[in-house]
Amino acid sequence: MYFTNLLTISYVAIVALVSSLASAAPILPRDVYVPPILYPKAGTVWHVGQRHNVTWDVSNPPVNITNSRGAIYLRNTTHFFQDIPLATGFDILLGRFEVTVPDVTGTDIRVVLFGDSGNWSPEFTIKP
Ligand SMILES: *[C@@H]1O[C@H](CO)[C@@H](O)[C@H](O)[C@H]1NC(C)=O
Ligand SMILES: *[C@@H]1O[C@H](CO)[C@@H](O)[C@H](O)[C@H]1NC(C)=O
Ligand SMILES: *[C@@H]1O[C@H](CO)[C@@H](O)[C@H](O)[C@H]1NC(C)=O
């Protein structure tokens, strides 16, 4: 019984892996797109619970974008592995997305914008 379940799980995992590889396979040449973050910038101060528009430059996108779904994370420079998601699944070509400042404070905070790969803002401050 245990063995059967294990086989079923492995099968499901393999099918999921294969189909994700298939859907990720590029059909046409695509361009990696990492637009520069305009806001927040160095010297910006946010307060916990406020809402702000994270903005980025979309003036010069490539014709074919590999991943047009954007994601915004908050990153503390000394604990970069503890990224906090602020927003995911929006259109990277919007150029801005309104987020709520989570309950983290520090002077070494960065916003990371993901399209194809991450692009960091300069360090800024979040106060209580
Ligand atoms: C974010 O930008 C939109 C569009 O310009 C605006 O309507 C909204 O009030 C802005 N939000 C904040 C928190 O400034
Ligand atoms: C963009 O993709 C289209 C098809 O969707 C293709 O015809 C075109 O050559 C591509 N352009 C570039 C610059 O990769
Ligand atoms: C970064 O995050 C860690 C863990 O939350 C915290 O101990 C540290 O004080 C933060 N750094 C700054 C400069 O706030």
Side-chain angles (χ1 to χ4, degrees):
M1 184 58 186
Y2 173 74
F3 191 57
T4 309
N5 284 343
L6 201 63
L7 279 180
T8 307
I9 290 163
S10 308
Y11 176 74
V12 169
I14 288 163
V15 168
L17 181 65
V18 168
S19 50
S20 74
L21 286 175
S23 63
I27 297 159
L28 292 162
R30 299 259 158 161
D31 297 310
V32 167
Y33 183 45
V34 185
I37 296 170
L38 302 175
Y39 181 84
K41 44 193 169 186
T44 295
V45 179
W46 286 358
H47 293 270
V48 172
Q50 285 180 334
R51 291 184 68 77
H52 289 285
N53 279 311
V54 172
T55 60
W56 57 94
D57 183 6
V58 289
S59 58
N60 200 17
V63 177
N64 294 321
I65 298 172
T66 313
N67 177 15
S68 63
R69 295 287 108 190
I72 299 171
Y73 293 87
L74 212 58
R75 174 171 294 185
N76 157 331
T77 303
T78 51
H79 292 260
F80 60 88
F81 48 88
Q82 291 173 336
D83 283 358
I84 298 167
L86 296 185
T88 56
F90 54 84
D91 182 352
I92 194 79
L93 294 178
L94 281 175
R96 65 164 179 83
F97 205 81
E98 194 178 287
V99 299
T100 300
V101 183
D103 191 4
V104 291
T105 56
T107 56
D108 65 344
I109 310 289
R110 293 168 190 261
V111 155
V112 193
L113 175 67
F114 281 95
D116 299 304
S117 68
N119 191 12
W120 300 26
S121 75
E123 288 185 357
F124 67 101
T125 299
I126 297 180
K127 292 183 174 174

